[in-house]
């Protein structure tokens, strides 16, 4: 276990929970090591926490949460046996706004190698009949997620609770 500074404080993260970015995120190409963090109260959402830069986190959720489906695989994952797509959730800037997804730039996670990358699609396949009401992250990623325990009171005073990036 190695100690990392994160937006959630100092965390112990095992090597098996560290993900390598093989197709860098635009604007963040120097960031290579990440961890997936899950707070139970956040339901199906997980935080993609940079281990190279503690202030950088991205909120992710399974595409089905927004009624999206990606039948194709990205170029960097063609040789992988399995993988899981996730989309970045775009937090509302005002109270009346709703949550949106970056549907054209999903991330693809390959649990077998603990690698992931972002890829661009021309259009996602809508699947409104399969909008997910899952209460936790995808099971394919569950064992490689760092599960955090926070109380509702701790979350209420956190800058993450108000959507700070």
């Amino acid at each position: 276990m190695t100690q990392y500074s994160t937006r959630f404080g100092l965390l112990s993260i095992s090597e098996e929970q560290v993900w390598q970015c093989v197709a860098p995120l635009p604007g963040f190409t120097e960031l290579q090591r990440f961890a997936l963090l899950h707070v139970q109260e956040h339901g199906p959402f997980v935080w993609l926490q940079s281990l190279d830069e503690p202030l950088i986190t991205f909120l992710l959720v399974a595409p089905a949460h927004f009624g999206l489906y990606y039948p194709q695989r990205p170029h960097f994952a063609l040789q992988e046996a399995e993988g899981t797509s996730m989309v970045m959730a775009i937090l509302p800037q005002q109270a009346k706004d709703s949550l949106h997804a970056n549907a054209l730039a999903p991330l693809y996670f390959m649990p077998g190698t603990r690698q992931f990358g972002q890829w661009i699609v021309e259009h996602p396949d809508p699947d409104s009949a399969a909008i997910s009401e899952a209460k936790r992250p995808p099971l394919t990623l569950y064992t490689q997620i760092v599960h955090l325990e926070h109380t509702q009171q701790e979350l209420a005073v956190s800058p993450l609770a108000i959507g700070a990036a």
Side-chain angles (χ1 to χ4, degrees), residues 63-76:
H65 186 79
F66 289 99
L68 301 171
Y69 173 66
Y70 300 96
Q72 66 275 39
R73 286 186 176 190
H75 68 281
F76 58 83

Side-chain angles (χ1 to χ4, degrees), residues 7 9 18 32 44 48 51 85 88 108 112 120 139 152:
R7 295 211 38 158
V18 174
Q32 299 297 309
L48 180 63
L51 300 178
S85 291
M88 283 189 197
Y108 193 79
I120 306 300
L139 291 176
Q152 286 288 20

